[in-house]
Amino acid sequence: MTAVTRMRLRRPAVALAVAGLLAAALPTPAALAAQPRYDIDRACPANTVPVAGFTDISEPHDRGIDCLAWFRIANGVTETTFDQTRPVNRGEAASFLVRLLRSVDGVQLPAPKDGAFRDVRSGPHKTNIEILAAMRNPVLRGFQDGGFRPTQPIQRDQFASIVVRAMDEVARQSSSVSPLPTTSRRPFSDVRTGPHAENVNRLAQANILQGTRPGTFAPTSAIQRGQTASVLARTLGGLVDAGVSARPVLVSGTVHDASDVQPGTYGRALTNATVTITGTADLTTRTNTQGRYQVWLRPGQYEITVAPSGHVPFRRAVEVVRATPVTVDFGVYRTATAPAQATPTTSGAQDVTVSADGNFWVVAPYRGAERTRFLPTDASEIVLVRPDGVRVALGAAGTSHAWFSRNADGTSERVGAQVGVHRVYYLVDGEWVRLDATFDAQGRLTHVNGQAYNG
């Protein structure tokens, strides 16, 4: 997704409200923190957030929608539509809240309470419903018949209650966040009594909720997806302001075919290559026509895998820290046909197989510190033994790339007996890759994979 920003006029966001049953008792934090500012700008400053790409969103909820999409708390119903006026059902509300809680540093979520509700046996929101039901002060509560009614639209006042309970859980686990304030104010003429009235008023006092029009809240109306996004984006703003949630960080890079170039350099950019990210958030994207990809990730530990068609998958571990963009480039190698194999010889820690015709060496899976290094570049050297006994080291010599022969007594020289083209195959994670090394009449390396070598 391309990072694009757009400018919007700031207008008051329409309200939302909330789901569940009776309000939980307020927690007693170890140390009372100052009240954070519950404002979208704290989480998603104006004109800095990538546009999510939804074509059907509009003010006043477009900023909240883009904000939650940036934090990966809200998804579209399709890649390009959000359906902002559609009512949110009770199961969807649970997933929104769990994703919000997962963005908070230090908050531990319990294991799902299997069978918490008799009518929640499967479906996309089952796990999240059961996580919220398993909390010490349950965020979700069912009905007297033991059901939860996950597909039933959630009312605005019900949604207010589950937001309050979720924030009370954050305050219970974190000394950086105070409980939402209590208040004697009654800003809405249609919210005077009932099990959710106090929670509606607490969210209004914190500026998380606003009315459908001045003085009116419409508590029993179903909350819409756009309204939900605005409420949760303001809530998220308070968590960022308190320092317990961090804005996403841009992770980008390019994917190249490194098969026919010198070790340590890149070849042509690969278009439409699959890039998979696993970790705190799991997602998949593809490279553009310049071989470039980019994703926004919250701070955490990730593993990025690229797997272009016809190439050996390449995997790297990445740590994303706050406010620090990350660049992760990949050079991948085309797979090759498995060569004929003969009796292997051993040199150092590497198992080397010599082809039946003596024209190439086959090297077993690389055993260096990084399994993702497929060619001998700046890692430890790989020593090959030719069928005639000549030892050839491929890899690092000091800080520069070097290819050289070794004499029987172990001394090294740049000129040796290897002449002509020698083909080396690497077996990496069950896939073969190939390297061709060309030596001149003096035994000096002149070309790698057909490219002039100036090492």
Side-chain angles (χ1 to χ4, degrees), residues 4-13 40-41 44-70 82 84 229-230 233:
V4 182
T5 57
R6 64 185 175 206
M7 184 175 295
R8 302 191 182 96
L9 297 176
R10 296 186 58 191
R11 298 182 183 177
I40 292 178
D41 279 337
C44 299
N47 306 321
T48 64
V49 178
V51 173
F54 301 125
T55 60
D56 62 342
I57 63 175
S58 60
E59 293 184 342
H61 302 301
D62 51 349
R63 283 198 60 208
I65 293 168
D66 281 344
C67 183
L68 291 197
W70 191 37
F82 189 78
Q84 66 178 12
S230 290

Side-chain angles (χ1 to χ4, degrees), residues 16-20 154-162 191 195-197 199-200 217-221:
L16 288 133
V18 67
I154 191 166
Q155 296 178 183
R156 287 167 56 83
D157 58 355
Q158 292 173 336
F159 186 73
S161 284
I162 65 170
V191 180
H196 309 293
N199 292 330
V200 170
F217 185 69
T220 60
S221 297

Side-chain angles (χ1 to χ4, degrees), residues 111-347:
K113 183 181 179 181
D114 189 43
F117 303 108
R118 64 174 181 79
D119 57 352
V120 180
R121 300 300 184 188
S122 61
H125 308 295
K126 176 182 183 294
T127 298
N128 292 330
I129 291 170
E130 293 178 342
I131 286 173
L132 296 182
M135 288 183 169
R136 189 166 77 177
N137 295 315
V139 172
L140 294 182
R141 302 166 190 179
F143 296 89
Q144 289 184 346
D145 62 1
F148 181 71
R149 305 174 194 172
T151 61
Q152 177 178 300
I154 191 166
Q155 296 178 183
R156 287 167 56 83
D157 58 355
Q158 292 173 336
F159 186 73
S161 284
I162 65 170
V163 171
V164 168
R165 294 186 196 121
M167 291 303 293
D168 284 348
E169 180 63 21
V170 171
R172 185 182 71 80
Q173 294 194 35
S174 174
S175 61
S176 299
V177 181
S178 288
L180 293 169
T182 58
T183 179
S184 59
R185 291 182 59 242
R186 300 292 182 265
F188 306 118
S189 61
D190 54 354
V191 180
R192 297 299 186 189
T193 60
H196 309 293
E198 177 61 22
N199 292 330
V200 170
N201 293 329
R202 288 176 68 191
L203 290 187
Q205 177 69 17
N207 196 39
I208 293 174
L209 283 184
Q210 298 173 0
T212 55
R213 59 179 184 268
T216 303
F217 185 69
T220 60
S221 297
I223 193 167
Q224 299 174 358
R225 285 171 56 81
Q227 295 171 336
T228 301
S230 290
V231 167
L232 295 184
R234 295 186 202 110
T235 304
L236 188 61
L239 297 172
V240 172
D241 192 44
V244 296
S245 188
R247 294 172 186 149
V249 172
L250 181 63
V251 178
S252 61
T254 52
V255 180
H256 299 266
D257 187 330
S259 304
D260 298 326
V261 297
Q262 292 184 27
T265 60
Y266 286 134
R268 66 184 179 86
L270 290 175
T271 299
N272 205 35
T274 301
V275 181
T276 303
I277 298 94
T278 57
T280 308
D282 296 344
L283 62 130
T284 298
T285 186
R286 289 183 178 274
T287 57
N288 62 16
T289 54
Q290 288 76 47
R292 184 172 178 81
Y293 72 93
Q294 66 176 41
V295 293
W296 291 90
L297 300 174
R298 287 187 276 111
Q301 300 287 338
Y302 297 88
E303 191 172 75
I304 302 180
T305 302
V306 297
S309 176
H311 293 71
V312 178
F314 200 119
R315 186 177 302 106
R316 290 183 64 178
V318 176
E319 181 179 9
V320 178
V321 298
R322 294 186 180 212
T324 305
V326 179
T327 300
V328 185
D329 294 327
F330 293 90
V332 293
Y333 304 97
R334 290 193 298 273
T335 57
T337 302
Q341 298 185 41
T343 304
T345 60
T346 300
S347 176

Side-chain angles (χ1 to χ4, degrees), residues 88-133:
V88 174
N89 66 41
R90 292 167 60 81
E92 290 173 322
S95 290
F96 280 131
L97 263 294
V98 168
R99 293 187 202 117
L100 179 76
L101 291 173
R102 290 195 190 281
S103 76
V104 184
D105 296 341
V107 169
Q108 300 297 315
L109 297 181
K113 183 181 179 181
D114 189 43
F117 303 108
R118 64 174 181 79
D119 57 352
V120 180
R121 300 300 184 188
S122 61
H125 308 295
K126 176 182 183 294
T127 298
N128 292 330
I129 291 170
E130 293 178 342
I131 286 173
L132 296 182

